[in-house]
Amino acid sequence: MSEEYWRAKIWGLLHDPVLKALHSNSGRGENSFWQQLKVMQPWVEKGWNPEKSCGTALKHIKLADYIASASDRGAIGSVSASINYGQGNNREQGLEISHLLSGAKRNFKIKQHSELLAANRKNYLESKEQKLLEAIPVELRTDIKNIRLLFWWLWRCLPAATCKEFGDDESLMLIPAETRLPDSSIWSHASITAALAGALAGYDLTAAEIEHWPANKTSSHPYLASFTFTPVQELIKASRKMRDFWAGSWLLHYLSAKICWEVSKKYGPDCFLYPSLYQQPLIDHWLLKEFSKLGFDKWIEKPKANQLLTAGFPNVLVLVLPKDKVKAALQLAKQTLLEEWGRIGNLVFDELQTKRRWMPDLAADSKTWQGWLESQWQFYWTALPIGKEGENLKNAAIPKERETEFLEWLNAQNKAYITNQKYNLFQDKEINFLREAYQQRWENQKRKFSVNVGSWWASIFDANRYALAAVKNARNWELPTAFGPRSTISGIGPVVHPGNDWITEGKRKSIGNTTQVYLMVENS
C-alpha cells in the first residue's frame, strides 16, 4: 500500500474547508484540518502542499481540484465577484441553492444561523472544524497503519459529524461547494477531488518521488473505467414467481455491491462515481461489521433489514483509477464476482442437499452443476483517459495572441471525445467569454486563468459509455452444446443431473431403490 496515495486522497477530501460555503472571503480560501493530522506530518514537515508547491508530483496532484471544479461549474472560477452566506440587507436569508436536475430553488439556512452571524465568522467556523478534527478516533488520526481507514472515516463519517456538531442539522448535507453556483454539495466535490488526486498521484507514489521527481518518469494519468457483467435481463425474466423476480434482482444487486466493496477497500470508496457508495445499506453493513471497533458505529446507523433487502445497485460500475491500476482493479472486480458466485453456489448446494433432499446423488463437482456455475457470467470493461494522453491537462493560452496554441489543444481534446463537431468545446462565444474573464482576472487580481479537461467531463462519460457498448456488441456468443435435454427454463444449457454421462430426453435412471426424473433448477 502506498501511503502517499492515501495522503493525496486525504488532501483531496480536505483541500477546502468543510464549511466553505458558510465562510466569507477571509476564510473561504483556506484548507481544512489535514495539516493537523499526525499521519500527514511527513508532508507538513517538508512543506509539501499541492496548493503551494512547485514540485512536479504535487503540482500534478493539485490538478484534481481544477478538474473536479470544471466538471461541476465550468468557468465560474474566473468570476471575481463573491456571494456570501447571509449576505445583503435580508440577513435572515441564508443562501439560495438549486437542485442539480430540476433547477428548483431552496433557501439553505442552518439551525445556528443567528449564532453564526452574531459571531466572528472565521473564528466561529474554525472552532467548529477543530471540533470535527477532535471527533476523529485517536487511533485513526495518529497511527500511520490506519491511514486507509482514516480516509474511510473522513469520507463516510465526517458529513454525519458535521451535521451533529450543528445540532443534528441534516441540511448541511446540502452545503454547496461553490456559493456562486450552488448546485452541487461540498461532499460530492471533495469526493471527486479525492478520487482524482489519488489517480493523479498514482497508487505506487513514493516520498522520494515527491521530493525529487525522476527525469524519465511520466506522471500518473487518471482514467475513467466502466465494468459490467451479464446476463441481467435474461436472469430476471426467467422468474416464474414474484419471489423469484425479487431474488434474481437482489442477487444481482448483492454481487454488484460486493464488487464495489472489495475494490473500494483497495482503492477507496471515492473512486466509484456510479453508483455512489455513500450511505449504501450493504456497504454500511460491511463497514460496520469490519471496522466497528474503530468508532464507525458512532456515526453510521445500522441498516434495517428492509434496507438490506431492497435491490438498487446497477450492474454497470463507473470509477476513476490511475492508469497503471485499471487492469488490476477490474481483474479484482471479476475475481470478486466469481468467488462470491461460487460461495453462493456452495451455500445453495448445501441447502438443497441437507434440507431439501434434492437429487441426493448429485455431487458439488458434477459437470452439469459446476458447468452452470462456471458459465453463468460474461464480463466487459473499458477505460478512457481523462484528458488526451500526451497533452497537458490544463491550458492557459487563452489570450488572442496565443490563439494558435490554444486551438491546437482544444482540437486535440475534441477529437478524443466528441464525434459531432457542432458539440465541440469551445464555441466562439464561449472563447470570447473566457478571454474577457481572463482579462478581468488579470486586471483585478494579477492572476491568470486556465481551462482544463474537466470541461469535457460529460463527453468523456459519453465516450466511455459508447466504448463499453461497442465491446459488448463485439462479443462472440453462440448457443452452448448440451449433451441431452436442455433446461426447460432457459433452453440454453443441459438439465442438472448426477454422473458424467449424458441422458436422453425424458429418460429415467434408477438410482439405488429410487427412480428420479431429472429436472432443471436453473441457477439454484
Side-chain angles (χ1 to χ4, degrees), residues 198-273:
L200 289 161
Y203 195 76
D204 299 315
L205 180 68
T206 65
E209 289 173 335
I210 296 178
E211 191 159 16
H212 298 292
W213 187 256
N216 59 347
K217 184 168 183 176
T218 303
S219 298
S220 177
H221 198 103
Y223 263 62
L224 185 72
S226 293
F227 175 88
T228 187
F229 57 96
T230 58
V232 173
Q233 299 300 329
E234 290 83 351
L235 180 70
I236 296 174
K237 74 181 183 182
S239 306
R240 296 189 174 184
K241 296 180 180 179
M242 183 57 70
R243 68 179 183 183
D244 297 336
F245 182 86
W246 170 83
S249 299
W250 190 87
L251 184 60
L252 291 165
H253 156 83
Y254 172 83
L255 290 171
S256 186
K258 193 68 174 180
I259 292 170
C260 292
W261 171 244
E262 293 299 332
V263 174
S264 64
K265 283 199 296 182
K266 186 172 182 64
Y267 298 102
D270 54 313
C271 287
F272 282 91
L273 303 185

Side-chain angles (χ1 to χ4, degrees), residues 48-326:
W48 292 349
N49 184 345
E51 303 275 358
K52 302 174 182 178
S53 176
C54 294
T56 300
L58 295 177
K59 280 179 65 179
H60 194 61
I61 293 171
K62 168 61 181 171
L63 292 173
D65 184 23
Y66 295 144
I67 297 172
S69 297
S71 72
D72 274 344
R73 48 189 184 267
I76 195 69
S78 66
V79 179
S80 58
S82 61
I83 297 176
N84 293 330
Y85 175 89
Q87 177 176 277
N89 297 327
N90 184 9
R91 291 175 66 81
E92 288 305 309
Q93 182 82 7
L95 183 69
E96 186 178 73
I97 60 177
S98 304
H99 191 278
L100 267 172
L101 298 179
S102 69
K105 306 298 182 184
R106 170 174 173 164
N107 183 36
F108 170 72
K109 185 178 178 181
I110 64 173
K111 288 182 178 180
Q112 299 179 9
H113 177 82
S114 300
E115 186 179 340
L116 169 64
L117 296 186
N120 179 300
R121 186 177 296 209
K122 182 178 180 181
N123 293 341
Y124 177 84
L125 294 174
E126 286 180 349
S127 69
K128 290 289 188 182
E129 291 222 16
Q130 192 63 32
K131 290 180 181 178
L132 294 177
L133 170 64
E134 294 166 2
I136 304 173
V138 175
E139 59 267 39
L140 292 184
R141 54 185 157 100
T142 58
D143 191 346
I144 187 60
K145 294 179 182 178
N146 290 327
I147 190 170
R148 178 176 63 92
L149 300 183
L150 169 62
F151 178 83
W152 268 91
W153 191 98
L154 291 169
W155 177 84
R156 179 60 184 87
C157 301
L158 184 58
T162 303
C163 294
K164 185 173 183 180
E165 179 58 33
F166 280 80
D168 293 322
D169 187 352
E170 293 188 359
S171 70
L172 283 162
M173 293 301 298
L174 301 176
I175 187 169
E178 172 57 71
T179 57
R180 293 168 294 182
L181 193 64
D183 60 358
S184 63
S185 77
I186 188 70
W187 313 114
S188 175
H189 171 68
S191 182
I192 292 175
T193 304
L196 288 167
L200 289 161
Y203 195 76
D204 299 315
L205 180 68
T206 65
E209 289 173 335
I210 296 178
E211 191 159 16
H212 298 292
W213 187 256
N216 59 347
K217 184 168 183 176
T218 303
S219 298
S220 177
H221 198 103
Y223 263 62
L224 185 72
S226 293
F227 175 88
T228 187
F229 57 96
T230 58
V232 173
Q233 299 300 329
E234 290 83 351
L235 180 70
I236 296 174
K237 74 181 183 182
S239 306
R240 296 189 174 184
K241 296 180 180 179
M242 183 57 70
R243 68 179 183 183
D244 297 336
F245 182 86
W246 170 83
S249 299
W250 190 87
L251 184 60
L252 291 165
H253 156 83
Y254 172 83
L255 290 171
S256 186
K258 193 68 174 180
I259 292 170
C260 292
W261 171 244
E262 293 299 332
V263 174
S264 64
K265 283 199 296 182
K266 186 172 182 64
Y267 298 102
D270 54 313
C271 287
F272 282 91
L273 303 185
Y274 179 78
S276 169
L277 302 190
Y278 187 79
Q279 287 187 332
Q280 289 282 0
L282 274 176
I283 300 298
D284 281 354
H285 170 74
W286 290 321
L287 195 56
L288 290 173
K289 184 178 179 181
E290 194 156 332
F291 306 133
S292 60
K293 295 181 180 179
L294 294 172
F296 284 81
D297 53 347
K298 181 179 178 181
W299 305 104
I300 303 176
E301 184 179 352
K302 184 178 180 180
K304 297 179 176 60
N306 64 332
Q307 292 176 309
L308 292 173
L309 294 175
T310 300
F313 263 82
N315 73 311
V316 178
L317 311 175
V318 183
L319 57 165
V320 171
L321 293 165
K323 177 183 177 180
D324 61 353
K325 293 299 178 182
V326 169

